[in-house]
């Protein structure tokens, strides 16, 4: 009885949180209505491996409204149990919980594949790799891949063996503008303030990488009065940063100037042992790139004389020479860290998940017309969503 009540309470908490999120995702609401009429996923089973949180729940509801049977699991460590409880109550098959070990997580991904989905909603190409390893590619008509790293895997180690179309959402220009630049820009600045409670105006920030995410981070820091310098290895992007009015230099030249360093390159070893000795006392180090490898955290800890965990996502790392640096979120994506991380804005995820929904619809209704393997989002889908976003914002062209 007690367990039952807990389950019901958990599902009810999930329902309330999802209600707020759903109410601010108008693009998906529109898609739900259309899908309910056209039922593009009728007779299809969609297997999903993606962060299980309220925004994904709204995506899953949208696909279910179009007739899909859903079999889903989350990413390791980020599953929200109240969301899972709610989705199960809605009749979806969902594996996983927040405290799952890595082995349990792998078992969940296997369980999704055991259910025999014919459409994949993948993240990091785990499901596609599983299908290839099992030799069951013939039963899959196609799918979508959320991340750049999954796209690289599909084109690299799995290249030639993915005998169905996989639309890579992250390759969309619309997503780059709406999410990587503007949503990551906003949420990284919000996360810096939320985690540290420090002031942005007048503070000196160094942003490493002036790609889509780095441009947004630099833009929103400056908008709040931060002084921003950029480190960029690509000469064209470095040139752009200089014309955009930022100080542009190598990390070595900025190590003593910067008070906060934020990496946004997607590459390993951007801030390494060679820089630690140059950083000013109290410098804050943070990362927003996908992998926790841009700051050499192991090297930093090895170089330290003392490490103190000060708060959920704040470590004080002391050196023998008396200086210290502050490491946020252990070098992991800072906008998903700390207390009550919000991640990227609702509107940007509404956009990203409409890209997912319409790409999956394209797979369900026209997979035979798409080439095999990794491919970008069809351009007509990008343009349709841009038009709907403009209309939702009251903008004209
Ligand atoms: P991008 O490819 O547009 O930009 C990366 C930039 O970093 C490029 O201009 C490149 O020349 C530069 N770069 C590479 N190595 C460098 C180095 N050692 N020093 C300085 N600059 C260097 O990629 P994008 O879209 O900006 O993504 C960056 C990372 O952020 C990726 O790992 C991506 O997966 C991640 N990401 C994180 C999100 C979040 O919510 N935190 C959301 C979306 C993407």
């Amino acid at each position: 009885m007690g367990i039952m009540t807990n389950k019901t309470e958990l599902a009810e908490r999930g329902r309330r949180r999802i209600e707020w999120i759903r109410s601010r995702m108008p693009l998906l609401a529109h898609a739900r209505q259309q899908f309910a009429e056209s039922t593009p996923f009728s007779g299809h089973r969609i297997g999903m491996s993606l962060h299980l949180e309220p925004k994904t729940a709204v995506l899953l509801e949208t696909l279910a409204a179009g007739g899909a049977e859903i079999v889903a699991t989350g990413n390791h460590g980020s599953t929200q149990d109240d969301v899972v409880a709610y989705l199960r109550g809605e009749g979806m098959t969902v594996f996983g919980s927040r405290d799952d070990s890595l082995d349990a997580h792998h078992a969940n991904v296997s369980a999704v594949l055991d259910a025999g989905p014919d459409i994949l909603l993948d993240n990091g190409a785990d499901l596609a790799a599983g299908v290839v390893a099992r030799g069951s590619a013939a039963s899959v008509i196609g799918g979508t891949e959320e991340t750049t790293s999954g796209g690289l895997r599909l084109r690299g180690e799995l290249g030639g063996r993915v005998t169905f179309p996989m639309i890579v959402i992250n390759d969309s220009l619309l997503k780059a503008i709406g999410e990587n630049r503007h949503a990551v820009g906003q949420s990284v600045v919000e996360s810096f303030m939320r985690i540290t409670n420090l002031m942005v105006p007048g503070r000196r920030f160094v942003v490493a990488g002036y790609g889509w995410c780095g441009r947004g981070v630099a833009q929103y820091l400056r908008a709040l009065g931060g002084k921003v310098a950029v480190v960029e290895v690509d000469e064209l992007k470095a040139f752009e940063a200089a014309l955009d009015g930022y100080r542009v230099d190598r990390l070595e030249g900025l190590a003593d100037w910067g008070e906060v360093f934020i990496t946004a390159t997607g590459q390993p070893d951007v801030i390494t042992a060679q820089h630690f000795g140059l950083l000013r006392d109290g410098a804050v180090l943070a990362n927003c790139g996908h992998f926790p490898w841009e700051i050499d955290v192991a090297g930093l800890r090895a170089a330290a004389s003392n490490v103190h965990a000060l708060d959920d996502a704040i470590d004080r790392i002391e050196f023998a020479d008396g200086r210290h640096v502050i490491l946020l979120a252990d070098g992991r994506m800072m906008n998903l860290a700390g207390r009550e991380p919000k991640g990227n804005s609702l509107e940007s995820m509404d956009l990203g998940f409409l890209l997912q929904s319409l790409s999956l619809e394209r797979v369900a209704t026209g997979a035979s017309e798409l080439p095999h393997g990794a491919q970008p989002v069809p351009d007509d889908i990008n343009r349709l969503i841009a038009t709907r976003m403009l209309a939702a914002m009251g903008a004209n062209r």
Side-chain angles (χ1 to χ4, degrees):
M1 180 65 190
I3 293 175
M4 207 50 223
T5 314
N6 284 347
K7 270 192 184 165
T8 316
E9 277 171 11
L10 206 57
E12 171 57 17
R13 182 175 136 82
R15 188 193 66 73
R16 275 186 272 115
R17 291 175 64 220
I18 292 164
E19 190 174 313
W20 154 247
I21 304 292
R22 190 191 295 116
S23 74
R24 290 297 184 279
M25 298 182 99
L27 298 177
L28 283 185
H30 184 241
R32 259 195 313 283
Q33 266 181 4
Q34 290 195 322
F35 285 172
E37 284 165 26
S38 60
T39 60
F41 303 113
S42 175
H44 293 288
R45 184 174 295 150
I46 300 182
M48 182 198 92
S49 164
L50 199 65
H51 291 295
L52 272 173
E53 43 82 46
K55 288 170 267 192
T56 345
V58 181
L59 167 64
L60 291 181
E61 287 181 339
T62 304
L63 302 173
E69 186 191 331
I70 304 287
V71 185
T73 191
N75 284 356
H76 184 226
S78 67
T79 296
Q80 298 186 9
D81 294 334
D82 53 350
V83 171
V84 172
Y86 169 77
L87 291 174
R88 284 181 182 151
E90 294 297 293
M92 297 184 201
T93 306
V94 185
F95 303 104
S97 66
R98 185 181 180 88
D99 297 330
D100 281 344
S101 65
L102 195 55
D103 284 347
H105 170 66
H106 289 144
N108 294 334
V109 173
S110 270
V112 169
L113 292 176
D114 289 344
D118 65 330
I119 297 181
L120 307 179
L121 200 174
D122 211 350
N123 182 16
D126 286 345
L127 293 176
V131 163
V132 168
R134 290 170 175 224
S136 55
S139 60
V140 174
I141 64 166
T144 54
E145 163 56 48
E146 174 75 7
T147 66
T148 315
S149 45
L152 291 173
R153 234 180 132 190
L154 289 168
R155 294 186 177 101
E157 66 177 84
L158 299 171
R161 289 189 290 159
V162 181
T163 51
F164 44 82
M166 286 295 283
I167 297 177
V168 182
I169 304 299
N170 209 63
D171 288 354
S172 153
L173 178 61
L174 184 74
K175 192 223 174 221
I177 298 168
E179 183 183 328
N180 297 33
R181 177 165 189 173
H182 290 284
V184 173
Q186 172 180 312
S187 76
V188 162
V189 179
E190 180 272 333
S191 299
F192 171 76
M193 297 192 297
R194 176 173 45 82
I195 295 170
T196 67
N197 206 9
L198 290 171
M199 182 160 110
V200 173
R203 180 159 261 120
R204 297 188 301 276
F205 293 87
V206 175
V207 177
Y210 201 64
W212 288 108
C213 293
R215 283 190 201 108
V217 172
Q219 174 181 347
Y220 287 93
L221 285 171
R222 184 160 70 181
L224 281 189
K227 296 178 185 158
V228 183
V230 168
V231 178
E232 171 59 63
V233 291
D234 180 307
E235 50 275 63
L236 288 177
K237 288 177 179 162
F239 173 59
E240 184 184 356
L243 289 194
D244 286 344
Y246 298 104
R247 177 174 172 187
V248 177
D249 201 344
R250 298 163 66 95
L251 204 46
E252 291 76 4
L254 294 165
D256 184 46
W257 179 84
E259 295 173 283
V260 181
F261 296 77
I262 300 177
T263 52
T265 73
Q267 300 299 318
D269 297 329
V270 178
I271 303 181
T272 62
Q274 58 172 317
H275 307 113
F276 300 153
L278 304 172
L279 297 169
R280 67 168 41 236
D281 188 30
V284 178
L285 307 181
N287 166 52
C288 78
H290 189 79
F291 296 104
W293 64 11
E294 304 205 15
I295 301 166
D296 176 11
V297 173
L300 189 59
R301 290 182 182 279
S305 56
N306 250 317
V307 178
H308 304 281
L310 299 183
D311 203 339
D312 271 5
I314 304 181
D315 284 345
R316 177 186 166 105
I317 305 209
E318 295 173 352
F319 299 116
D321 63 9
R323 288 174 310 125
H324 77 281
V325 297
I326 296 293
L327 177 66
L328 301 189
D330 213 29
R332 296 174 186 282
M333 277 191 277
M334 66 187 292
N335 55 338
L336 297 176
R339 291 201 192 100
E340 310 227 346
K342 298 281 186 284
N344 293 329
S345 59
L346 288 181
E347 291 89 340
S348 71
M349 296 309 288
D350 195 21
L351 180 156
F353 283 167
L354 185 61
L355 273 168
Q356 276 283 7
S357 304
L358 298 187
S359 297
L360 288 165
E361 180 189 31
R362 185 64 51 89
V363 167
T365 56
S368 58
E369 284 148 40
L370 298 171
H372 288 177
Q375 57 202 284
V377 173
D379 194 47
D380 63 304
I381 293 181
N382 283 321
R383 289 180 185 279
L384 176 76
I385 298 177
T387 306
R388 284 195 197 158
M389 276 297 266
L390 285 167
M393 295 164 72
N396 295 307
R397 81 188 151 92

